[in-house]
Amino acid sequence: MDNLECTVGEDSLNLQCNLCDSEVVHSMTEILLRGLATASVDSTTGDIFKNPSSVAVGMKAELAEYLIQRSTMLVGEAVDGGEDHSEELIKASSAPTEFLSDLIDGFVAPKRNLLSHVSGFLSSESRLNKIKDFIHKMEAEDCWALDGRESTAGTILKSIDMKCTFHCPERFDTQDKLAKHRSMCRFRIVNCQNDGCIASFSANHIERHDSVCLFKALPCEQLCEQHVMRCEMDMHCASVCPMKLVNCPFYQVGCETAFPQCVLNKHCSELLQTHLLYILQLTTRQEASVNDMNQRLHLLEKAQSLNELSGALDVRTLTLTTKEQEAKIKQLERDLKVQEAKLKKLENEFKLGKV
């Protein structure tokens, strides 16, 4: 793709840029590899004398020749006013990867032998798995090197890209002019400038990549003063961002205000008396609740004691039962005092600024 193409004209040496959109070329190389694997698997299914690896080399040359000839022929016929291939050419100019897939389908279809058709009909999943496995094998063995596939893909792309949407058609009469142009060409390969990102792409995709790059530093979505990488924005906003919304620490006692984390101290300072009132109200409610609970428990204990006393068979049993009930009542009284002490401690700590 990057090799210089030289054409000797009548007056001077004509040098063409011919740089291509790297993303489109990469997609086309993947389609080429899958097409080769499919043709190799389908043409040898059920053949005990052949396997995909044994035909891959010859199939690769045949596929490359077919695709280049077919794409060149379509363009040539359109230019010469031959058969109407307008729909194919429109697809070729606007969606070259789809156009290439269609060409490969035309190449692969006749390669499927009878056993391949039957096998595909009975188990399409098995066929797809064989194709995937052979793709991995070819990549591991470098059966069709990436450079070779890119060269084939680039040749096809330049032949069908009549509107020059995906490759550069600029020509120059000197090497210096060509080199200067290539340093600025929209199809030159550039690296992402965001720290941590190792992506490379054609210069015409800089803005698109920047709009999705996970390493792009962006202003905080919650409008704090920090800039955060796109991939860390959610975590930042949910954890350390000073503008993260938080509930008041006294939310459970009545203050239902929510505010940015950075103004927590200011909020607590300004509403100190309000928070104190909430605490006192809660304490009062708890005391009333404790008293009410104590009365209910006392009644239950009294009723239980009467039941147990009425069932006592002698003085000894009556004495033991009475002592047990007294012990339970004393324990309840102690528990109530502990609860009251805790409430008073909470009030004192709040008044001293510890809460």
Side-chain angles (χ1 to χ4, degrees):
M1 181 177 65
D2 293 334
N3 293 334
L4 300 181
E5 292 193 0
C6 304
T7 304
V8 179
E10 294 180 358
D11 300 321
S12 63
L13 185 66
N14 193 11
L15 303 173
Q16 187 170 350
C17 175
N18 272 333
L19 289 177
C20 296
D21 187 314
S22 61
E23 184 174 320
V24 175
V25 170
H26 178 72
S27 297
M28 293 176 70
T29 61
E30 297 303 311
I31 294 172
L32 287 173
L33 187 62
R34 182 169 185 81
L36 174 59
T38 302
S40 300
V41 169
D42 284 349
S43 65
T44 58
T45 297
D47 193 330
I48 61 174
F49 300 105
K50 295 180 181 178
N51 58 59
S53 297
S54 66
V55 301
V57 176
M59 194 70 72
K60 176 188 70 175
E62 185 180 349
L63 174 60
E65 183 180 0
Y66 169 86
L67 293 174
I68 293 173
Q69 288 182 351
R70 181 64 178 156
S71 58
T72 303
M73 181 187 70
L74 287 174
V75 175
E77 289 179 353
V79 173
D80 296 337
E83 295 185 37
D84 183 14
H85 298 291
S86 56
E87 292 186 4
E88 291 178 278
L89 291 174
I90 290 174
K91 178 179 284 189
S93 298
S94 59
T97 53
E98 293 182 19
F99 175 76
L100 180 61
S101 293
D102 291 344
L103 288 184
I104 288 180
D105 288 343
F107 174 81
V108 171
K111 301 299 180 183
R112 299 189 67 179
N113 57 34
L114 178 61
L115 289 175
S116 178
H117 279 286
V118 174
S119 174
F121 176 75
L122 295 177
S123 179
S124 58
E125 184 177 353
S126 176
R127 172 176 173 266
L128 292 176
N129 288 335
K130 289 180 180 179
I131 292 172
K132 290 179 181 178
D133 291 342
F134 191 52
I135 289 175
H136 294 322
K137 182 177 181 180
M138 286 194 296
E139 288 179 329
E141 297 177 354
D142 206 21
C143 180
W144 195 352
L146 181 61
D147 290 344
R149 277 180 284 150
E150 287 187 345
S151 177
T152 302
T155 300
I156 296 172
L157 179 60
K158 285 178 282 190
S159 68
I160 63 177
D161 185 24
M162 300 179 66
K163 296 181 180 180
C164 301
T165 304
F166 304 103
H167 84 289
C168 179
E170 296 292 331
R171 297 174 179 273
F172 302 91
D173 56 4
T174 68
Q175 291 280 2
D176 289 342
K177 291 180 180 179
L178 175 61
K180 182 178 180 181
H181 163 78
R182 281 196 161 187
S183 68
M184 300 180 294
C185 180
R186 65 193 180 104
F187 294 111
R188 72 189 186 279
I189 300 298
V190 296
N191 298 319
C192 178
Q193 297 302 305
N194 296 321
D195 289 341
C197 184
I198 60 174
S200 59
F201 39 81
S202 294
N204 60 320
H205 293 309
I206 290 178
E207 291 184 3
R208 188 180 71 177
H209 172 79
D210 202 54
S211 68
V212 297
C213 180
L214 296 178
F215 297 89
K216 173 74 173 179
L218 301 171
C220 172
E221 293 178 352
Q222 295 179 156
L223 304 181
C224 79
E225 297 180 353
Q226 299 181 40
H227 279 65
V228 185
M229 286 193 298
R230 182 178 277 113
C231 61
E232 297 179 351
M233 184 66 71
D234 290 345
M235 181 181 296
H236 166 81
C237 291
S239 57
V240 299
C241 179
M243 296 300 290
K244 167 192 172 184
L245 289 180
V246 295
N247 290 324
C248 174
F250 298 91
Y251 180 86
Q252 297 296 333
V253 297
C255 185
E256 299 182 355
T257 308
F259 42 80
Q261 189 170 235
C262 59
V263 300
L264 172 61
N265 292 335
K266 179 180 178 182
H267 169 82
C268 291
S269 175
E270 292 178 348
L271 297 180
L272 178 60
Q273 292 183 349
T274 302
H275 292 158
L276 178 58
L277 179 60
Y278 285 138
I279 291 292
L280 293 176
Q281 290 174 345
L282 175 64
T283 302
T284 302
R285 290 195 299 270
Q286 288 180 336
E287 288 178 347
S289 177
V290 169
N291 290 334
D292 181 63
M293 184 181 297
N294 182 43
Q295 290 177 4
R296 291 174 183 274
L297 289 174
H298 182 68
L299 290 174
L300 290 173
E301 292 288 347
K302 185 176 180 181
Q304 184 179 0
S305 297
L306 290 174
N307 290 334
E308 291 178 354
L309 288 172
S310 64
L313 299 178
D314 51 41
V315 175
R316 182 178 179 184
T317 302
L318 179 62
T319 302
L320 291 174
T321 303
T322 302
K323 289 182 178 180
E324 288 178 357
Q325 297 305 317
E326 289 176 348
K328 291 181 180 179
I329 293 173
K330 289 181 180 179
Q331 181 61 44
L332 181 62
E333 291 175 347
R334 286 195 295 269
D335 292 343
L336 180 61
K337 289 180 180 179
V338 171
Q339 182 68 17
E340 291 175 347
K342 288 182 179 179
L343 290 173
K344 290 181 180 179
K345 181 179 179 182
L346 180 62
E347 292 178 12
N348 293 333
E349 289 180 348
F350 181 79
K351 292 176 181 179
L352 294 174
K354 294 183 178 181
V355 178

